[in-house]
Amino acid sequence: MLSDTMLTRRGALTALAASAAALTLSACGSASKGTSGKVITYWLWDSLQQPAYQECADRFREKTGITVKISQIGWDDYWTKLTAGFIAGTAPDCFTDHIQKFAQFTDLDVLLPLDEQEAWSGVDESAFQDGLIDLWKGEDGHQYGCPKDWDTEAIFYNKEMVKEAGLTDEDITSMEWNPDDGGTFEKVLARLTVDRNGNRGDEEGFDPNHVKVYGLGIQDSGSADGQTQWSPFTASAGDWYYTDKKTWGTHYRYDDKAFQQTLDWYFGLVDKGFLNPNGAFSDATSTDIQLGSKSIAMAVHGAWMFNTFANLDLDVGIAPTPVGPNGTSQSLFNGLGDSVVKASPNAKEAAQWVSFLGTQEAQDIVASYGIVFPAITASTEKAKTVFEKTGLPTEPFTKHVEDGTTFFFPLTYFGADVKAIMTPAIEDVWANRVPASTLTEYNDQVNLLFDTSTHD
């Protein structure tokens, strides 16, 4: 049971300090600020995007005379070092932000309101894909992040395995599901699953306990959001969403019956042998590796992995997520943003840089690298052309945005706490096959945070 002690901003900072202190020294070495105010520091975690943003920085320097020093820090260390920097005063001037962390940072009052900066007047907010600009607004209505890109999810699959199973690409692209019998999606999974004796999942003698090729693969249980695991199914089951509001919700819905029924069906695929159980692969074996080693036939993943899957040594296909009981194919719609550190001595110049990254000029540069879909609609079109040079379609990703069949990553306070509570609970449904109804108790703990804690 959670403590009744009220959580405050000071308490949160104290807790963050305890977890981040060990990395404070290394964080100090990552930030460098010029005394002239003409050198600013910018952090990102994706090494594949660094060349694109270096070209943006070069263009920015030509236009303004301001030099941007870019540091790439791997995801596992990025947030701890950033938090250490907030505490020690060694944070970068600006950084790539994530919705999962955004609410906490606005609560801690460490982000600069971009809409109060002169440079922001040069950003055309109407140019972004619908919804992205609002995703980076705080509960107070201020703009604390500039949209930089977006992603949705689709199904990557082994076309050779599909052909060998007697299926067609159309069978994959037209899949539908339901929690009662799994629909055509489950029939496809059964056909693609093969045990060690060569029996398929829909054939007599199939052994679900000794599987050679799983129809569907996952790396983990999906934590509290299930982005590349169960979220396309829970979102298309009915009208379920993580919380009571699109953004800044205060009541989570992991106790919803339709949600729990969907998870019981989804992780029940493990019992049938169609989905890999916990332990079938190492924790480090991502689904692109699973597909590349021909251990699985399909995987749900995001647009940011487009080129990784495209470069696998096999014939890869991409299909939309299956249509669910509510008649739609759904995808989580996530987007990264750039934020400026409020305490930065170079806040004015950092705001200029972040605002520049919110222009079509900069996002066209990013689009030319074909690594992400930029947040600006016109730049997205340019990125599609580059992506499709691989011979693979972008429509399974872009159609969600065009049709409005998307839902946001949960944006609420206490994000880290929600994750800490729900991750082991959902892991238990996958690993130990406990019923999803057990999530109700954990959902009550999550909602208790909002009832008994404060972020003022």
Side-chain angles (χ1 to χ4, degrees):
M1 179 63 68
L2 297 176
S3 170
D4 290 333
T5 302
M6 301 292 276
L7 299 179
T8 63
R9 180 178 292 143
R10 179 176 296 176
L13 278 170
T14 301
L16 287 172
S19 65
L23 281 170
T24 300
L25 184 59
S26 60
C28 290
S30 299
S32 175
K33 300 182 178 66
T35 56
S36 67
K38 295 299 182 181
V39 177
I40 62 173
T41 53
Y42 173 64
W43 285 9
L44 49 75
W45 63 78
D46 189 349
S47 61
L48 296 178
Q49 294 191 46
Q50 187 169 359
Y53 283 96
Q54 185 58 59
E55 184 173 341
C56 289
D58 293 342
R59 180 75 61 84
F60 180 69
R61 183 175 56 198
E62 292 173 3
K63 296 169 71 72
T64 66
I66 300 170
T67 298
V68 181
K69 181 181 178 182
I70 301 176
S71 295
Q72 184 271 322
I73 302 169
W75 174 271
D76 290 341
D77 293 330
Y78 186 88
W79 301 106
T80 307
K81 289 185 176 182
L82 184 62
T83 301
F86 288 146
I87 297 165
T90 57
D93 297 306
C94 45
F95 64 97
T96 299
D97 207 345
H98 193 286
I99 288 298
Q100 193 177 49
K101 308 291 184 179
F102 175 58
Q104 181 186 40
F105 292 159
T106 58
D107 188 32
L108 296 177
D109 196 27
V110 295
L111 303 181
L112 186 75
L114 296 175
D115 52 309
E116 294 182 350
Q117 310 309 307
E118 182 180 354
W120 188 251
S121 63
V123 176
D124 180 4
E125 295 187 3
S126 68
F128 297 109
Q129 295 281 3
D130 288 346
L132 289 183
I133 194 72
D134 293 330
L135 198 58
W136 292 100
K137 290 185 185 296
E139 195 175 25
D140 60 6
H142 285 299
Q143 194 73 42
Y144 291 103
C146 178
K148 63 191 287 129
D149 58 39
W150 61 267
D151 57 70
T152 53
E153 282 68 55
I155 292 178
F156 293 92
Y157 65 96
N158 184 322
K159 298 186 74 169
E160 182 181 350
M161 285 185 175
V162 166
K163 184 177 180 179
E164 289 175 349
L167 299 170
T168 65
D169 290 334
E170 186 178 358
D171 290 326
I172 309 302
T173 58
S174 62
M175 292 185 296
E176 50 81 20
W177 79 276
N178 66 74
D180 298 320
D181 62 15
T184 59
F185 174 70
E186 187 168 324
K187 287 183 173 63
V188 166
L189 287 186
R191 189 64 190 161
L192 291 173
T193 301
V194 183
D195 69 16
R196 64 182 180 184
N197 295 316
N199 298 311
R200 295 188 177 276
D202 58 359
E203 295 176 342
E204 186 176 352
F206 172 72
D207 183 357
N209 297 313
H210 298 90
V211 176
K212 181 180 179 181
V213 178
Y214 295 97
L216 182 68
I218 56 176
Q219 183 176 0
D220 53 54
S221 64
S223 187
D225 58 84
Q227 182 175 15
T228 58
Q229 294 85 7
W230 42 263
S231 70
F233 302 97
T234 53
S236 60
D239 64 354
W240 185 83
Y241 180 63
Y242 302 98
T243 66
D244 57 341
K245 291 190 290 185
K246 196 173 183 179
T247 58
W248 301 106
T250 58
H251 185 88
Y252 274 82
R253 300 179 61 203
Y254 296 114
D255 58 347
D256 181 85
K257 289 184 178 180
F259 170 80
Q260 293 180 357
Q261 183 184 21
T262 300
L263 252 61
D264 280 330
W265 163 77
Y266 177 82
F267 287 118
L269 296 171
V270 170
D271 305 330
K272 299 173 182 178
F274 305 158
L275 174 70
N276 60 288
N278 183 39
F281 305 109
S282 73
D283 292 342
T285 306
S286 54
T287 51
D288 58 302
I289 297 174
Q290 295 174 21
L291 193 72
S293 65
K294 300 183 179 180
S295 299
I296 65 171
M298 298 194 302
V300 176
H301 223 308
W304 68 91
M305 290 290 286
F306 189 104
N307 288 317
T308 300
F309 280 95
N311 290 327
L312 292 178
D313 188 22
L314 51 83
D315 193 4
V316 173
I318 308 178
T321 53
V323 173
N326 69 9
T328 67
S329 164
Q330 290 281 335
S331 172
L332 192 150
F333 187 39
N334 191 30
L336 303 183
D338 288 309
S339 295
V340 175
V341 176
K342 188 175 184 179
S344 166
N346 303 310
K348 179 180 178 181
E349 291 79 10
Q352 285 181 258
W353 162 244
V354 166
S355 297
F356 173 68
L357 292 181
T359 66
Q360 187 173 341
E361 181 180 2
Q363 297 209 4
D364 278 354
I365 292 174
V366 175
S368 71
Y369 281 76
I371 46 176
V372 292
F373 290 114
I376 290 178
T377 304
S379 300
T380 291
E381 293 303 312
K382 291 180 170 61
K384 285 167 59 176
T385 301
V386 180
F387 275 122
E388 290 176 355
K389 289 180 180 178
T390 63
L392 296 177
T394 58
E395 186 180 14
F397 297 103
T398 60
K399 187 172 176 59
H400 285 297
V401 178
E402 295 164 1
D403 293 350
T405 53
T406 61
F407 54 97
F408 286 150
F409 194 97
L411 172 57
T412 70
Y413 294 113
F414 309 116
D417 301 293
V418 173
K419 183 177 180 180
I421 292 169
M422 295 307 304
T423 296
I426 294 176
E427 181 88 7
D428 211 20
V429 180
W430 177 42
N432 299 315
R433 299 296 302 113
V434 302
S437 59
T438 57
L439 300 179
T440 297
E441 177 184 356
Y442 296 94
N443 188 73
D444 290 343
Q445 292 182 36
V446 166
N447 287 329
L448 188 61
L449 288 168
F450 294 88
D451 294 338
T452 63
S453 305
T454 182
H455 48 82
D456 294 327

